Amino acid sequence: MPAFRPLMAAATLIVLGAGPLIAQPAPTDAPPPAGMGVHPMKHAAFAKLTVTGTGQATVQPDMASITLGVSTRAATAAEAMTQNAEQQAKVIETLKAEGIEARDIQTSGLNLSPVMDYSDQGQPPKLTGYGAQNSVTVRVRDLAGLGAVLDRLVASGANEIGGIAFARDDMTEVEDKARSEAVADARRRAEVMAQAAGMRLGRLISLAEVGSGGGPRPMMAMRAQAAGAADTPIEAGELTVDANVTAVFALRPLDAPDGRPAAPQGTTESAPEN
């Protein structure tokens, strides 16, 4: 058998030179290959912690959106539309006289419908006329004078106000502040949970924003009344912006060295022999 020894030695050299053993470690539950004086690297699976964080920021509004309109009734459809158009034209003229730009005035509804009388029981309903409605959505950028503007609009012919919604022209800064608060909240929660579990927080694995919301308050519905001597009181309040994030962190044992998870108890890590 001496003639075969060079071939066996050559085969051993090919296996050792095939590539680093660390790149393809043997399974932790498999015995090391016979005849090789190398301990395979054993990697411990690390735990992951998923948390959510919420953030909130407030800001003063600098504009308001108002839905207002004119409702008229007449014996014929044509008459109802004519009266409505004349009255709505006065309302729009008043808006422009108050400094509202054309880009901030938009027609949001136009309706013509028959008016029926159902008071006689057992009798078919009777047509008593036609009703016309024309509404516009207006952005008012001068909140200080909003109450006075509303009063003048009512005096000019507007007899319906659907609601007021407050907003801010640029919400970028307050939205970013809410996001920062949400991320900080997620990390705080993760640190508390890691400490409670007897672990310490590792690196951030992933971070995503989910379903953030905020902005204008819900509109309040109201019916316009005749203008009085005092301006209609308007309170703008504050706008609240909410942000929500989901973060995934690695969890590491307290005694794990920085940079990688610790190996399971009872195992050793060693570099491959050269």
Side-chain angles (χ1 to χ4, degrees):
M1 297 295 291
F4 294 101
R5 288 179 182 174
L7 293 177
M8 293 177 63
T12 303
L13 290 174
I14 291 173
V15 171
L16 292 176
L21 291 176
I22 299 177
Q24 295 180 343
T28 56
D29 57 351
M36 298 177 62
V38 177
H39 297 286
M41 182 72 74
K42 296 185 178 181
H43 297 277
F46 60 89
K48 293 190 294 184
L49 173 63
T50 301
V51 295
T52 60
T54 60
Q56 190 176 87
T58 59
V59 66
Q60 294 286 337
D62 60 7
M63 58 186 286
S65 295
I66 310 169
T67 301
L68 54 90
V70 172
S71 178
T72 57
R73 183 179 296 186
T76 66
E79 188 178 357
M81 289 296 291
T82 299
Q83 292 179 8
N84 190 280
E86 292 174 353
Q87 200 166 327
Q88 186 71 307
K90 294 179 182 179
V91 172
I92 294 177
E93 288 176 6
T94 301
L95 287 171
K96 293 181 178 179
E98 293 295 328
I100 308 298
E101 300 180 20
R103 66 188 177 103
D104 290 331
I105 305 173
Q106 185 179 51
T107 298
S108 55
L110 180 62
N111 183 52
L112 175 67
S113 59
V115 178
M116 309 299 293
D117 182 8
Y118 296 89
S119 60
D120 293 337
Q121 296 183 358
Q123 299 295 325
K126 296 179 181 179
L127 176 65
T128 60
Y130 290 85
Q133 296 85 32
N134 190 328
S135 59
V136 294
T137 299
V138 182
R139 284 194 298 264
V140 179
R141 301 178 187 274
D142 179 16
L143 295 184
L146 180 56
V149 170
L150 288 175
D151 290 341
R152 283 190 279 272
L153 289 171
V154 172
S156 68
N159 54 17
E160 288 187 348
I161 297 179
I164 299 177
F166 294 99
R168 190 169 183 86
D169 191 34
D170 185 2
M171 298 288 288
T172 303
E173 183 176 351
V174 67
E175 288 172 350
D176 289 346
K177 183 178 179 181
R179 293 185 183 104
S180 297
E181 294 287 342
V183 173
D185 182 57
R187 177 170 286 277
R188 180 191 61 80
R189 295 186 187 194
E191 289 174 347
V192 170
M193 295 176 69
Q195 183 178 8
M199 308 281 281
R200 63 188 176 102
L201 209 60
R203 66 183 181 88
L204 176 65
I205 298 174
S206 67
L207 179 66
E209 183 176 12
V210 291
S212 58
R217 299 292 187 184
M219 292 193 304
M220 55 180 182
M222 60 182 180
R223 186 81 176 180
Q225 303 294 332
D231 294 342
T232 299
I234 300 295
E235 298 294 335
E238 288 184 336
L239 300 177
T240 301
V241 176
D242 298 311
N244 300 279
V245 299
T246 297
V248 180
F249 292 92
L251 279 181
R252 305 171 61 225
L254 293 175
D255 58 350
D258 293 335
R260 63 181 178 182
Q265 225 174 4
T267 63
T268 58
E269 294 184 355
S270 58
E273 299 175 358
N274 293 328

